[in-house]
Amino acid sequence: MSPSQPRDRGIPEATVARLPLYLRALHGMAERGVATVSSEDLAVAAGVNSAKLRKDLSHLGSYGTRGVGYDVEYLVYQISRELGLTQDWAVAIVGVGNLGRALANYGGFVSRGFRVAALVDADPEVVGDTIAGLNVEHIDELEAVIKRRGVSIVVLATPAAAAQEVCDRVIAVGVTSILNFAPVVLSVPDTVDVRKVDLSIELQILAFHEQRKAGGPLMAVDSQ
Amino acid sequence: MSPSQPRDRGIPEATVARLPLYLRALHGMAERGVATVSSEDLAVAAGVNSAKLRKDLSHLGSYGTRGVGYDVEYLVYQISRELGLTQDWAVAIVGVGNLGRALANYGGFVSRGFRVAALVDADPEVVGDTIAGLNVEHIDELEAVIKRRGVSIVVLATPAAAAQEVCDRVIAVGVTSILNFAPVVLSVPDTVDVRKVDLSIELQILAFHEQRKAGGPLMAVDSQ
DNA sequence: GCGACTTTGTGCATCGGTTCACAAAGGGCT
DNA sequence: AGCCCTTTGTGAACCGATGCACAAAGTCGC
Ligand SMILES: NC(=O)c1ccc[n+]([C@@H]2O[C@H](COP(=O)([O-])OP(=O)(O)OC[C@H]3O[C@@H](n4cnc5c(N)ncnc54)[C@H](O)[C@@H]3O)[C@@H](O)[C@H]2O)c1
Ligand SMILES: NC(=O)c1ccc[n+]([C@@H]2O[C@H](COP(=O)([O-])OP(=O)(O)OC[C@H]3O[C@@H](n4cnc5c(N)ncnc54)[C@H](O)[C@@H]3O)[C@@H](O)[C@H]2O)c1
């Protein structure tokens, strides 16, 4: 048994979901010239419990120094590597409407490893337009574009009715990572990862809690 | 102990997060004229396990009929009521840039109980514009607008640097539900609910799994 | 009206994730 | 060089969520 296992295969899903949060906090610290950070400080910056943070980081390896903390630069590198951000990911956005346009114009994810490599739409009015420096291509070209540009992540921003069909087509040409904004449950083989962003669901969850707050503690009036 | 408790206070958070999913599936069924649905069918439509679905619904009350299933209309009503969607929620969008505009123009959440009641921005170029039929108001008017329009949910779509300040101000005038699109951890009292949507985090999670898929099973080459 | 069949509602085992709390490690000060 | 102080890494208890599996409930056909 070697004394240091560089990294453990099989990082808990909950940990993976928090690594980007730590990374963001660390980037901020690096910019402010912070060289070293304790789990306590980093935890505060990321809005989590410090024990949880340490356990999360321990899944990547033993990168801290007891009595001191973590080296910011080094930790940024280790987390980036673990998340696969040391390589470049080509992203295609399918559906260039309100939302697709906002995403295409957004500089925030280009910054870290993600590059919008293609825009695809079905509307002849939109196809051929240049948005954020990219030509919008026709949906008929979907498969060709994905192969030509080496796209490995597809962002779905079409209307709900078109989402499953586009999804099936991109999977057929080998895409296994999809970010879905359309309010539908996509049916995919379990070799494919789908993450969804659903604004409407978030609002409904907020409304639920808001209702409880408004009526809750005092509204002991049972409706029976 | 009364035989039927209409509904139990204290619905698990995980259940609350799925109710909107069930509701969406049920709306689709109602539109297609389906009168009754079994937990199995509804579970498939919502992409969850049927036992989980039944347990979730059992937290609202005993609304099914054994041997038959659930009445679609009735269940829509019960879930809507539980989520607080039988009332109207006034939403303000602060930050009317790429994303804020897309949200303002989006018809999807207006449909169910949510109404965009105000748009607020700091940029004099934008203030005064009419977007989606609404006048964009100046950030100086933030507090006044929130009170005047009875806004109870605020959507934050400002740059990260401005988010905490806007957040503090809306909380100061009594807002307790915030949907945050800015990539920052907001610091709020625990009487306030914040939900965040972070595109960049979703992409990073996808990249992590994508990397594993690509290198994973065959890349047994330990880097030591 | 009765029996067979369908489907709910839930007890229970299990699992993944969180948090506490502390022993071991390491740096820095004297 | 040795001691003290800080901070990590993790064992173990705890907590909420999941999913199986089945008894109870209720419908429908005969
Ligand atoms: N805009 C928002 O704020 C928002 C919020 C939450 C969810 N959504 C969801 O995101 C999706 C897009 O929303 P939007 O507001 O941008 O809608 P939109 O109608 O403005 O844009 C949809 C675009 O998809 C294109 N399209 C239609 N069918 C297509 C196909 N088969 N292949 C390729 N492109 C196709 C259309 O031409 C259009 O340009 C919808 O599913 C919507 O429900 C949007
Ligand atoms: N556009 C996207 O696809 C996308 C995706 C993920 C996250 N985000 C995040 O959403 C936020 C908005 O993104 P965007 O692309 O719309 O940016 P944007 O720059 O296009 O828009 C920001 C808007 O906020 C306004 N603003 C600035 N300071 C303000 C203040 N103090 N009060 C009120 N308004 C103020 C600006 O005038 C501008 O109109 C950013 O935090 C961004 O990181 C955007």
Side-chain angles (χ1 to χ4, degrees):
Chain A
M1 187 169 63
S2 64
S4 73
Q5 356 168 236
R7 48 173 159 156
D8 186 21
R9 305 279 139 171
I11 294 179
E13 199 49 40
T15 296
V16 173
R18 282 187 297 265
L19 290 178
L21 222 56
Y22 304 153
L23 194 54
R24 188 207 289 161
L26 286 165
H27 273 127
M29 288 171 175
E31 268 166 35
R32 275 177 284 123
V34 177
T36 270
V37 66
S38 70
S39 63
E40 185 56 38
D41 290 354
L42 182 53
V44 169
V48 302
N49 176 300
S50 72
K52 182 151 62 179
L53 177 112
R54 287 197 298 277
K55 188 154 285 184
D56 283 343
L57 295 184
S58 77
H59 287 114
L60 317 192
S62 206
Y63 298 140
T65 306
R66 290 167 193 239
V68 177
Y70 301 86
D71 182 277
V72 173
E73 292 273 347
Y74 187 59
L75 198 51
V76 163
Y77 170 70
Q78 290 299 343
I79 295 179
S80 296
R81 192 173 50 87
E82 196 62 51
L83 287 173
L85 305 181
T86 50
Q87 61 189 276
D88 202 68
W89 298 98
V91 175
I93 298 174
V94 184
V96 192
N98 286 318
L99 185 61
R101 250 166 248 261
L103 298 174
N105 283 313
Y106 179 55
F109 50 60
V110 179
S111 62
R112 322 245 191 251
F114 301 96
R115 183 171 44 87
V116 180
L119 302 177
V120 183
D121 202 290
D123 184 350
E125 287 290 310
V126 177
V127 173
D129 285 8
T130 297
I131 293 173
L134 274 170
N135 182 42
V136 177
E137 321 214 31
H138 194 272
I139 187 72
D140 288 350
E141 297 292 310
L142 180 64
E143 289 82 359
V145 166
I146 285 177
K147 286 186 190 160
R148 193 184 325 135
R149 307 281 164 74
V151 167
S152 49
I153 299 177
V154 168
V155 174
L156 271 179
T158 65
Q164 183 68 58
E165 195 209 318
V166 173
C167 172
D168 292 343
R169 286 175 60 184
V170 302
I171 290 172
V173 283
V175 170
T176 58
S177 294
I178 295 173
L179 181 53
N180 179 34
F181 284 87
V184 277
V185 175
L186 293 177
S187 147
V188 300
D190 55 10
T191 49
V192 175
D193 277 303
V194 176
R195 296 197 62 90
K196 67 167 200 291
V197 172
D198 193 322
L199 185 41
S200 169
I201 288 182
E202 300 302 325
L203 285 178
Q204 289 174 54
I205 296 171
L206 284 175
F208 171 83
H209 292 296
E210 187 68 27
Q211 186 187 37
R212 295 255 152 155
K213 282 181 232 161
L218 292 174
M219 197 181 72
V221 188
D222 201 292
S223 65
Q224 87 170 48
Chain B
M1 188 168 66
S2 64
S4 73
Q5 357 169 234
R7 48 175 158 156
D8 186 21
R9 305 280 139 169
I11 294 179
E13 200 48 41
T15 295
V16 173
R18 282 187 297 266
L19 290 179
L21 222 57
Y22 305 153
L23 194 52
R24 188 207 289 160
L26 287 165
H27 273 127
M29 289 171 175
E31 269 167 34
R32 276 178 282 123
V34 178
T36 268
V37 66
S38 71
S39 63
E40 186 56 39
D41 290 353
L42 182 52
V44 168
V48 303
N49 176 302
S50 71
K52 182 151 64 179
L53 178 120
R54 286 196 299 277
K55 189 156 287 185
D56 282 344
L57 294 184
S58 77
H59 287 113
L60 318 192
S62 206
Y63 297 142
T65 306
R66 292 169 194 234
V68 178
Y70 300 87
D71 182 276
V72 173
E73 292 273 348
Y74 187 59
L75 199 51
V76 162
Y77 170 70
Q78 290 300 342
I79 296 179
S80 297
R81 191 172 50 90
E82 196 63 50
L83 286 172
L85 305 181
T86 48
Q87 62 190 276
D88 201 67
W89 298 98
V91 175
I93 298 174
V94 183
V96 191
N98 285 317
L99 185 60
R101 250 167 250 262
L103 297 175
N105 284 313
Y106 179 55
F109 50 58
V110 179
S111 62
R112 321 247 191 251
F114 301 96
R115 183 170 43 87
V116 180
L119 302 176
V120 183
D121 202 291
D123 185 349
E125 287 290 310
V126 178
V127 173
D129 285 8
T130 298
I131 294 174
L134 272 171
N135 182 42
V136 177
E137 321 215 30
H138 194 273
I139 188 72
D140 287 352
E141 297 291 310
L142 180 63
E143 290 82 358
V145 166
I146 286 177
K147 287 186 192 161
R148 195 183 324 136
R149 307 280 163 75
V151 167
S152 49
I153 298 178
V154 167
V155 174
L156 271 178
T158 65
Q164 182 68 57
E165 196 209 319
V166 173
C167 172
D168 292 344
R169 288 175 59 184
V170 302
I171 290 172
V173 284
V175 170
T176 57
S177 295
I178 295 173
L179 180 53
N180 179 35
F181 284 87
V184 278
V185 175
L186 293 178
S187 148
V188 300
D190 56 10
T191 48
V192 175
D193 278 301
V194 176
R195 297 198 63 92
K196 67 169 198 294
V197 172
D198 194 323
L199 186 40
S200 170
I201 288 182
E202 299 302 323
L203 285 177
Q204 290 175 54
I205 296 170
L206 284 175
F208 171 83
H209 293 295
E210 188 69 27
Q211 186 187 36
R212 295 256 154 153
K213 281 181 233 161
L218 291 174
M219 196 181 70
V221 187
D222 202 291
S223 65
Q224 86 170 53

